[in-house]
Amino acid sequence: MIEDIELETLINDIYEYYGFDFGNYSRASLKRRVNRVYQLDGFSNFYEFLSKVKYDPEYYKRMIDEITVNVTEMFRDPSFYKIVRTEILPQLATKPFIRLWHAGCSTGEEVYSMAIMLKEAGLLHKAIIYATDINSKVLETAKKGIFPLRMMKEYSENYRDSGGQEDFSHYYIANYGIAKFNEELSEKMVFSQHNLVSDNSFNEFDFILCRNVLIYFDNNLQKRVINLFDESLSLLGFLALGTKETIKYSISTTKYKQLEKEKIWRKVK
């Protein structure tokens, strides 16, 4: 197991060698994830591990991919998607063009969930979904739109609980244990690498979703990311965070009005 002082050495060396700053990540979460990679790859001592990270760029990339993997699923928290379906999409429907940003999109299940809802609301043709993550490996998975077939029963239930009325299996082709989602959905997606820690705003959006990413950051980094979203959100646009996340300590809440029951805010000034 890695000691606290060793974790700090790792953070400093990664910043010095690669310019990637883990300094504002939550230490407990980061330590847990680094320990997992350390044990998974069978290192016997910390300095062997540190040397591998510093001098083997391929291994460094693998380590980053491993410790930034997030858990996700389609229509996760169906009550959230129900609010999006009934309260947010009708508001966005009035716009001539709709830009959405899924920040920290992981393997893309929630991006495809959103595309399905936009299609059902008759809005997909005039929407574009930017899906970003720091982890290049998960983005490759997301681009393909291929997910395990065994998950479809659960995803189908989530979909129905979110207010979906169609036959969920219309949206994918099942083959050899995998479900490949229709290209009609992925045609409206742009996947790219983006680092919330260091990268800037790249567009103006009507709806930004970043669910269960901020919990891994400390307060200062959370503030930085919320400010980035604020800069990137159009007036009367919506921002959605995870169930344990808030904008409350990061930005003037007079600029935002929270929707009832869900962690969704509307920018009002």
Side-chain angles (χ1 to χ4, degrees):
M1 298 288 277
I2 286 174
E3 302 294 327
D4 289 352
I5 192 162
E6 292 172 337
L7 183 66
E8 295 308 315
T9 304
L10 178 69
I11 289 168
N12 290 336
D13 282 8
I14 286 174
Y15 185 64
E16 191 182 326
Y17 278 73
Y18 297 101
F20 189 98
D21 191 0
F22 274 116
N24 293 116
Y25 275 61
S26 153
R27 290 299 190 270
S29 166
L30 186 60
K31 188 176 179 185
R32 197 168 55 245
R33 287 162 176 238
V34 170
N35 269 319
R36 183 180 157 274
V37 180
Y38 181 83
Q39 289 169 332
L40 203 63
D41 293 348
F43 289 99
S44 54
N45 70 73
F46 171 71
Y47 289 98
E48 181 193 350
F49 171 64
L50 185 65
S51 176
K52 186 83 170 156
V53 171
K54 277 158 60 172
Y55 303 120
D56 182 344
E58 282 304 306
Y59 183 75
Y60 160 75
K61 192 165 171 298
R62 168 188 154 65
M63 185 207 68
I64 291 287
D65 285 349
E66 281 296 330
I67 64 179
T68 57
V69 166
N70 284 310
V71 180
T72 184
E73 62 186 51
M74 292 191 84
F75 294 94
R76 176 168 57 169
D77 308 323
S79 61
F80 166 81
Y81 281 95
K82 191 171 255 183
I83 295 283
V84 173
R85 193 189 285 279
T86 57
E87 292 188 32
I88 296 180
L89 294 188
Q91 303 266 13
L92 296 181
T94 60
K95 291 179 169 283
F97 192 74
I98 307 164
R99 286 189 182 85
L100 301 92
W101 178 16
H102 275 269
C105 70
S106 192
T107 39
E109 284 86 338
E110 293 189 65
V111 186
Y112 283 85
S113 306
M114 182 60 70
I116 287 169
M117 291 210 307
L118 286 163
K119 178 171 166 51
E120 291 182 358
L123 302 175
L124 188 61
H125 69 284
K126 64 169 183 174
I128 188 153
I129 308 173
Y130 292 85
T132 65
D133 203 279
I134 189 176
N135 184 328
S136 57
K137 200 162 88 180
V138 297
L139 285 172
E140 285 308 310
T141 304
K143 277 179 196 169
K144 292 182 182 125
I146 293 173
F147 305 110
L149 193 58
R150 63 186 158 76
M151 299 304 298
M152 291 307 125
K153 183 176 181 294
E154 185 186 333
Y155 292 171
S156 174
E157 285 167 11
N158 284 355
Y159 164 76
R160 277 200 302 279
D161 290 344
S162 78
Q165 306 283 318
E166 305 294 323
D167 180 347
F168 190 64
S169 64
H170 284 166
Y171 293 113
Y172 61 85
I173 296 162
N175 211 344
Y176 301 110
I178 61 163
K180 175 153 182 27
F181 277 76
N182 301 347
E183 282 180 14
E184 179 191 11
L185 302 173
S186 55
E187 276 168 6
K188 305 303 287 185
M189 300 171 189
V190 177
F191 290 97
S192 64
Q193 216 168 351
H194 182 275
N195 182 350
L196 290 170
V197 178
S198 57
D199 293 343
N200 295 323
S201 174
F202 59 93
N203 214 322
E204 187 175 74
F205 298 96
D206 305 298
F207 192 8
I208 297 175
L209 302 96
C210 183
R211 302 177 69 224
N212 306 310
V213 175
L214 296 183
I215 47 173
Y216 299 111
F217 299 161
D218 74 6
N219 291 343
N220 287 336
L221 188 48
Q222 287 184 20
K223 279 182 186 163
R224 186 202 182 281
V225 175
I226 295 294
N227 276 296
L228 170 67
F229 292 154
D230 182 48
E231 285 168 28
S232 307
L233 198 62
S234 63
L235 188 60
L236 301 181
F238 295 91
L239 171 64
L241 301 178
T243 51
K244 296 184 178 70
E245 298 166 337
T246 184
I247 66 168
K248 198 157 57 178
Y249 309 109
S250 304
I251 204 161
S252 164
T253 44
T254 57
K255 289 177 75 173
Y256 285 84
K257 185 174 186 294
Q258 188 172 358
L259 272 67
E260 276 181 51
K261 296 182 188 156
E262 292 295 335
K263 293 298 184 79
I264 303 171
W265 289 264
R266 190 168 204 193
K267 188 174 183 176
V268 290
K269 52 167 91 158

